């Protein structure tokens, strides 16, 4: 791990010195042990602040949507294989320009101690490096070598086990379950803030003429918010799980996003962010799409 | 208010909201009217430019304001006035139905149809079938459960102030007050 950190710091130092990037986004020490904090540096002298360990959970792709970062010039961005999908999403949606990002792909054996549940179903331990084909996002640099083996895409459905558990409940119990979950929401919008794909400058949650969502943390407005959020991210969410980790109320938001990802795969054979050459499912249509629910 | 509520409860009528596109289904509904076809008056029709304009949130909003069922209808595939609006909408509805089901809303309360401007009879038939169905499965009580948990006051304030039926006549407004009998 130590060599990897040194390699990362040296690369950041080099890129900033050469002027290849004007700002570098990586991980630094967190305020408590066992945590890291997103760290944004603009001078080579601060490269020593960068770290790489088991706790680099945050999806830093979100900073590509922040003007405070991008206005400085070209961005050096540290990504894991899973985060690279969010970058792909942003590139596909015209929210980032490839030439303006230098992507540093980190080999990753899974994050968290104990290992995060989502990492057990990971099929992107190694981001694709320079020279990758058009169906993979080619990072400019790759650091490290992953030892954990990739599972099959979607883990043969095993990653949806928790979704299936909810699906199996009768409708009234599903409703009660989500009422319980959404009832805790305090409308802090942390889920929105950490999400790389939730980049609208003016979010519908803030619109008040007409007001679509109750601004107070009331069950009715909470329900509408979470349904709207899941719909807006359907077919776009790359499943990084940042929303769920950011939620101070521990609402299982990834259940919703996984459910939508599952539906998108089932109906449109599409996985968000996996293939830069593919057309996003919700951006297109097929005349032969499912039609059996129409009278 | 209390008497109103009780009498309303005694003769509960399903409230079904229809979101229809301007070019096909609205014209179809119009044809049903000019053809003097009789269909259930429990439907409230809202006209939009295209099915592609119907935000899934409209449907959530309808339930929030007391709808028992929602009907969405537009031009047949291939007939969209804007060429592809209904195709895009269809993709969204496919996903939205999955989501609604997942959060526990009975999919029988949200139905979809393609009704052209020439299908006045189909419109009457679909509306009658939908209303009969909702009548059978009863009022949508999901929000009652929700409000029982977090109180009605804030909700009433929000819906009552901006929305409601605007008549100001003290008719139970947007929310079916007291259907649960709790207040």
């Amino acid at each position: 791990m130590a060599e990897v950190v040194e390699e990362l710091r040296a690369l950041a130092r080099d890129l900033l010195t050469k002027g290849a990037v004007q700002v570098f986004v990586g991980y630094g020490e967190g305020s408590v042990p066992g945590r890291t904090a997103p760290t944004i540096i603009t001078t080579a002298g601060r490269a020593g602040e960068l770290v790489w360990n088991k706790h680099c959970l945050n999806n830093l792709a979100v900073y590509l949507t922040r003007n405070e970062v991008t206005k400085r010039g070209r961005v050096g961005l540290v990504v894991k294989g899973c985060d690279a999908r969010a970058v792909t999403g942003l590139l596909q949606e015209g929210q980032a320009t490839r030439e303006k990002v230098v992507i540093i792909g980190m080999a990753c054996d899974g994050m968290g101690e104990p290992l995060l549940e989502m990492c057990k179903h990971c099929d992107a331990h190694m981001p694709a490096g320079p020279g990758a084909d058009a169906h993979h996002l080619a990072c400019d640099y790759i650091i490290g070598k992953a030892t954990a083996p990739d599972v099959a895409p979607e883990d043969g459905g095993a990653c949806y086990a928790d979704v299936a558990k909810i699906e199996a409940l009768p409708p009234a119990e599903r409703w009660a379950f989500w009422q319980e979950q959404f009832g805790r929401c305090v409308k802090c919008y942390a889920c929105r803030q950490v999400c790389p794909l939730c980049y609208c400058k003016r979010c519908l949650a803030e619109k008040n003429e007409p007001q679509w969502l109750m601004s107070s943390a009331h069950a009715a407005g909470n329900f509408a918010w979470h349904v709207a959020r899941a719909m807006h991210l359907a077919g776009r969410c790359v499943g990084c799980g940042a929303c769920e980790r950011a939620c101070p109320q521990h609402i299982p938001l990834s259940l919703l996003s996984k459910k939508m990802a599952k539906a998108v795969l089932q109906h449109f054979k599409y996985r968000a962010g996996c293939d830069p050459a593919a057309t996003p499912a919700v951006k297109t249509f097929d005349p032969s799409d499912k039609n059996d629910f129409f009278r | 208010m209390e008497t109103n509520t009780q009498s309303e409860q005694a003769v509960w009528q399903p409230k079904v909201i229809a979101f229809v596109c301007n070019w096909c289904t609205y014209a179809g509904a119009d044809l049903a009217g000019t053809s003097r076809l009789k269909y259930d008056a429990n439907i409230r029709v809202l006209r939009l430019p295209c099915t592609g304009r119907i935000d899934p949130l409209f449907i959530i909003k309808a339930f929030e304001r007391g709808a028992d069922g929602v009907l969405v209808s537009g031009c047949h595939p291939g007939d969209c006035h804007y060429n592809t609006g209904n195709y895009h909408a269809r993709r969204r509805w496919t996903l939205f139905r999955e989501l609604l089901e997942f959060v526990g809303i009975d999919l029988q309360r949200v139905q979809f149809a393609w009704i052209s401007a020439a299908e006045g009879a189909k419109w009457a038939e679909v509306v009658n079938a939908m209303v009969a169905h909702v009548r059978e499965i009863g009022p949508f009580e999901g929000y009652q459960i929700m409000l029982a948990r977090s109180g009605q006051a804030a909700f009433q304030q929000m819906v009552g102030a901006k929305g409601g039926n605007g008549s100001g006549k003290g008719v139970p407004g947007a929310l079916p007050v007291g259907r649960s009998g709790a207040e």
Side-chain angles (χ1 to χ4, degrees):
Chain A
M1 208 67 117
E3 316 84 80
V4 171
V5 177
E6 276 321 309
E7 199 180 336
L8 174 65
R9 288 175 182 170
L11 179 60
R13 207 172 285 129
D14 184 44
L15 290 172
L16 284 163
T17 316
K18 281 197 305 201
V21 303
Q22 280 70 48
V23 53
F24 194 93
V25 183
Y27 302 91
E29 286 297 343
S31 47
V32 288
R35 301 206 95 176
T36 59
T39 297
I40 299 168
I41 58 174
T42 50
T43 54
R46 287 182 60 197
E49 292 175 26
L50 296 170
V51 300
W52 178 256
N53 54 39
K54 281 291 223 186
H55 310 290
C56 298
L57 301 174
N58 294 0
N59 185 347
L60 301 178
V62 68
Y63 290 101
L64 289 182
T65 66
R66 297 292 190 268
N67 184 43
E68 297 88 325
V69 174
T70 51
K71 74 177 178 190
R72 290 178 176 273
R74 199 179 290 135
V75 184
L77 185 74
V78 173
V79 299
K80 304 183 288 287
C82 47
D83 306 339
R85 292 184 175 157
V87 178
T88 305
L90 291 172
L91 292 171
Q92 282 175 327
E93 295 179 12
Q95 298 300 316
T97 316
R98 185 65 189 86
E99 295 72 42
K100 293 235 169 135
V101 201
V102 173
I103 307 173
I104 294 98
M106 304 299 288
C108 171
D109 281 336
M111 283 294 155
E113 273 170 342
L115 195 62
L116 292 184
E117 183 58 32
M118 59 175 276
C119 296
K120 294 177 190 163
H121 306 291
C122 178
D123 62 347
H125 290 105
M126 265 321 263
D133 63 16
H135 297 290
H136 294 88
L137 176 71
C139 297
D140 298 285
Y141 300 91
I142 295 287
I143 296 183
K145 182 129 188 63
T147 50
D150 281 353
V151 302
E154 304 286 301
D155 203 0
C159 59
Y160 298 129
D162 44 358
V163 173
K165 218 179 281 172
I166 306 292
E167 284 172 337
L169 296 173
E173 280 179 43
R174 283 203 293 270
W175 178 267
F177 170 80
W178 286 110
Q179 286 314 310
E180 182 72 38
Q181 302 301 326
F182 296 153
R184 295 201 306 272
C185 176
V186 292
K187 282 275 179 78
C188 66
Y189 299 123
C191 46
R192 176 186 74 185
Q193 297 309 110
V194 293
C195 178
L197 275 310
C198 232
Y199 50 69
C200 289
K201 294 278 179 284
R202 191 164 175 237
C203 174
L204 120 144
E206 264 101 44
K207 287 186 183 158
N208 50 13
E209 260 327 310
Q211 183 164 42
W212 284 106
L213 300 165
M214 282 176 81
S215 49
S216 57
H218 183 277
N222 289 357
F223 180 75
W225 161 249
H226 288 286
V227 168
R229 202 184 79 85
M231 261 324 273
H232 286 190
L233 287 165
R236 303 171 58 240
C237 169
V238 295
C240 68
C243 47
E244 185 171 296
R245 288 192 299 274
C247 182
Q249 296 292 76
H250 308 294
I251 300 171
L253 294 169
S254 64
L255 269 182
L256 285 176
S257 40
K258 268 199 262 179
K259 167 69 193 177
M260 296 318 278
K262 187 182 167 191
V264 171
L265 185 71
Q266 181 194 340
H267 296 296
F268 311 126
K269 311 273 172 286
Y270 178 79
R271 286 183 75 202
C274 290
D275 180 356
T279 312
V282 284
K283 204 174 165 182
T284 182
F285 65 87
D286 184 338
S288 64
D289 277 340
K290 178 181 164 72
N291 195 53
D292 58 4
F293 60 94
F294 287 89
R295 282 166 163 275
Chain B
M1 188 81 160
E2 194 56 30
T3 18
N4 263 350
T5 305
Q6 278 168 358
S7 61
E8 195 200 44
Q9 198 171 17
V11 286
W12 173 75
Q13 287 288 336
K15 203 185 269 185
V16 179
I17 312 296
F19 292 105
V20 304
C21 87
N22 178 42
W23 304 99
C24 293
T25 305
Y26 192 83
D30 218 11
L31 179 64
T34 49
S35 314
R36 301 286 184 272
L37 291 174
K38 192 170 157 57
Y39 59 88
D40 283 319
N42 302 66
I43 196 115
R44 274 88 163 155
V45 180
L46 286 164
R47 177 170 62 156
L48 290 125
C50 178
T51 33
R53 172 64 184 92
I54 306 169
D55 190 311
L57 206 52
F58 291 0
I59 294 178
I60 295 297
K61 211 69 185 169
F63 283 123
E64 205 173 87
R65 302 272 179 112
D68 300 302
V70 173
L71 174 65
V72 176
S73 180
C75 307
H76 284 268
D79 285 352
C80 181
H81 183 76
Y82 308 99
N83 296 336
T84 57
N86 54 359
Y87 284 129
H88 285 286
R90 185 169 63 182
R91 281 219 154 179
R92 279 206 294 279
W93 300 130
T94 302
L95 299 176
F96 190 53
R97 285 175 85 248
E98 294 269 0
L99 180 61
L100 283 182
E101 198 176 20
F102 194 59
V103 295
I105 290 184
D106 186 353
L107 278 187
Q108 308 204 36
R109 296 192 184 277
V110 192
Q111 294 192 13
F112 299 83
W114 301 130
I115 297 173
S116 82
E119 294 176 321
K122 183 177 177 187
W123 167 257
E125 199 183 295
V126 167
V127 169
N128 283 337
M130 171 99 198
V131 171
H133 199 74
V134 172
R135 203 185 291 279
E136 203 182 300
I137 53 181
F140 178 62
E141 279 167 341
Y143 274 84
Q144 304 301 327
I145 298 168
M146 188 191 280
L147 297 177
R149 284 176 54 89
S150 24
Q152 284 211 58
F155 188 68
Q156 276 298 349
Q157 203 182 345
M158 181 231 171
V159 203
K162 297 284 291 184
N165 52 22
S167 69
K169 283 181 189 159
V171 183
L175 186 79
V177 190
R179 214 187 257 164
S180 62
E183 295 283 296

